[in-house]
Amino acid sequence: IYGTTAYLDDSTPYTLYKVQKTDTWDSMALKFYNSPTFFWILCDFNRVQNPYEMPEVGTLIKVPALTNIKFN
């Protein structure tokens, strides 16, 4: 299980994104951060415990601004 110890600060600026049919956590990280290895940022900020479970199509997820990330 992922992300049980620390979370990104909720005050970090973010935009909303509607999940599309072909989206995965790593494909969205590639789209927003130019690196699929940053999938953990999306998972952490959206309080996803299992990154192997894909978000449902149409779900709005928060995409934090990479330059303003803060931790609790």
Side-chain angles (χ1 to χ4, degrees), residues 4-20:
T4 58
T5 56
Y7 289 116
L8 296 173
D9 190 316
D10 287 333
S11 68
T12 302
Y14 66 88
T15 58
L16 290 175
Y17 173 74
K18 187 185 257 186
V19 175
Q20 306 299 306

Side-chain angles (χ1 to χ4, degrees), residues 41-69:
I41 294 172
L42 295 173
C43 290
D44 192 274
F45 200 69
N46 288 279
R47 307 301 191 249
V48 172
Q49 292 294 311
N50 183 354
Y52 296 108
E53 288 183 14
M54 296 303 112
E56 290 187 32
V57 173
T59 301
L60 289 176
I61 65 163
K62 299 174 189 175
V63 180
L66 193 57
T67 56
N68 297 322
I69 288 179

Side-chain angles (χ1 to χ4, degrees), residues 13-31:
Y14 66 88
T15 58
L16 290 175
Y17 173 74
K18 187 185 257 186
V19 175
Q20 306 299 306
K21 185 177 182 178
T22 58
D23 284 337
T24 62
W25 293 112
D26 55 343
S27 72
M28 290 185 287
L30 179 62
K31 181 185 301 184

